[in-house]
Amino acid sequence: ISYLTLQQPFQPVDGVTLLHVWYYGWITAVSTGLGVLPLLFVPRLDSYWVGVSNAVAAGMMVAASYSLFVEGCTFREPTDESDISTEVRTAIGALLGLAFILATKQFLEQHEDIQVGGLDGTDARRAVLIFFVMTLHSFTEGVGIGVSFGGSHGNELGVFISASLAVHNIPEGLAIAVSLLPRGTSKTSAALWAILTSIPQPLMAVPAFLFVHYFIPILPVGLGFAGGAMAWVAFFELLQEAYEDTDLLTTAGISFVSLTTMLIFQGAIDEGSRS
C-alpha cells in the first residue's frame, strides 16, 4: 500500500489532492509500528526492562498529550464559526476522554474472563484498555490530518500536522508492544496490532478533508479527548507499572528524559515547518 499509493511529488506543491491526504494519513498509521523497533534488539524482556520501556513510553505519551492540548487550545481557522472558544472545547474534550477511560475500565473489570491474543485476566484487560484508547484517539488524529490539509495554508500545515502525529504514534506503538511482547506475542504481531490501532487515521482524514467545514468546529474537542485519554494511560497505567517493575528513581529519571526528548524533537519539527 505504501508503494502503490506513493504520490509524486511527495509534498503537495500546486495543490492538495485526495490521494495526498490518504497517503499522509497512511504513513502516520504505519509509523505506529515503529514503536516495536527498540524491542527488536532485546532477545527477552524481563520485568525490569518492561518497566524501563513503560517509563520511556509514558514520558513520550505525556509529551504527546501536552502537544495535543496545545494544538487544541491554539487552533485557529478562519472558517471556524463556533461561539465556544477553542480552550473550552479542548477542556470539554479532555473531560470526555477521562470519562471514556473510567467507563471502559469499569466495563472491563466486570468481564474478568476476557481473552486477547493469548492474554487473559489483568493482562488482557490492560491490553484492551490501551488498544481502545489508541484506536479511538486515532479517529481524532485522522480528522486533524484532513482538516489541516483542507484549511488555509493546507500545503504546509497538513505536512506539519502529519509529521507531528507520526512522531506521536511511535510511543503509542511502544506502549502496545510492551503490553503484548512479555506475554508471548511475537514482535511481528505486536507491530501489526500497533498499526491496526491507527488505521482510523487515513480512513477519517479523507472525509474530514472533503467536508472540512463540518469537521473544523469539533477538532479542538477531539484533540482534547485524545490528550486526556493518553495522559490517563501514561500516568495511571504505564508509569504505575514502570514503578512496580523498577523503582521510583529509575521511573522518574527515564520518563523525564523521554518527555524532554520528545518535546525537543516536537519543537524541532515545529521550527522546521515554519522556516
Side-chain angles (χ1 to χ4, degrees):
I1 294 175
S2 300
Y3 176 77
L4 293 176
T5 59
L6 177 63
Q7 295 300 295
Q8 296 295 340
F10 179 71
Q11 182 169 350
V13 177
D14 297 326
V16 180
T17 67
L18 199 60
L19 289 177
H20 274 115
V21 177
W22 156 263
Y23 194 76
Y24 275 90
W26 172 253
I27 291 300
T28 61
V30 172
S31 68
T32 314
L34 297 179
V36 181
L37 288 181
L39 305 179
L40 294 178
F41 305 99
V42 182
R44 182 179 178 275
L45 281 178
D46 59 25
S47 60
Y48 178 82
W49 289 108
V50 169
V52 169
S53 299
N54 276 319
V56 171
M60 297 180 76
M61 286 179 65
V62 170
S65 297
Y66 170 77
S67 297
L68 290 171
F69 288 140
V70 171
E71 289 175 16
C73 291
T74 60
F75 177 73
R76 298 292 182 270
E77 182 64 39
T79 57
D80 185 359
E81 300 177 352
S82 175
D83 296 327
I84 305 175
S85 69
T86 55
E87 292 85 355
V88 172
R89 279 179 281 169
T90 302
I92 292 173
L95 293 175
L96 290 175
L98 293 175
F100 164 77
I101 288 291
L102 295 176
T104 302
K105 276 185 66 68
Q106 184 176 10
F107 172 80
L108 293 175
E109 288 171 357
Q110 295 173 354
H111 297 77
E112 298 183 356
D113 58 343
I114 188 171
Q115 294 184 350
V116 178
L119 306 179
D120 55 22
T122 302
D123 291 340
R125 291 196 297 273
R126 180 175 179 272
V128 169
L129 178 64
I130 293 176
F131 187 89
F132 273 9
V133 169
M134 302 311 179
T135 302
L136 278 179
H137 100 271
S138 288
F139 282 90
T140 298
E141 293 185 341
V143 171
I145 293 171
V147 168
S148 63
F149 274 114
S152 57
H153 310 293
N155 287 19
E156 298 81 12
L157 182 61
V159 173
F160 164 64
I161 293 296
S162 299
S164 299
L165 294 178
V167 173
H168 291 175
N169 284 349
I170 295 175
E172 297 168 19
L174 177 60
I176 293 170
V178 169
S179 69
L180 295 176
L181 290 179
R183 282 83 180 183
T185 304
S186 69
K187 294 180 174 67
T188 300
S189 296
L192 292 176
W193 275 109
I195 293 172
L196 184 62
T197 64
S198 293
I199 289 299
Q201 291 175 13
L203 298 181
M204 289 303 298
V206 172
F209 175 73
L210 291 174
F211 306 101
V212 62
H213 179 76
Y214 299 99
F215 280 92
I216 281 177
I218 65 172
L219 181 58
V221 178
L223 292 172
F225 181 97
M230 286 179 59
W232 197 99
V233 169
F235 281 111
F236 297 104
E237 291 290 334
L238 300 182
L239 282 178
Q240 180 178 336
E241 186 159 325
Y243 170 69
E244 293 173 354
D245 289 335
T246 57
D247 54 65
L248 180 60
L249 183 61
T250 301
T251 299
I254 291 177
S255 59
F256 177 77
V257 171
S258 174
L259 184 153
T260 304
T261 302
M262 184 71 166
L263 288 177
I264 292 173
F265 192 53
Q266 181 67 41
I269 294 176
D270 192 7
E271 287 295 325
S273 69
R274 298 177 190 277
S275 61

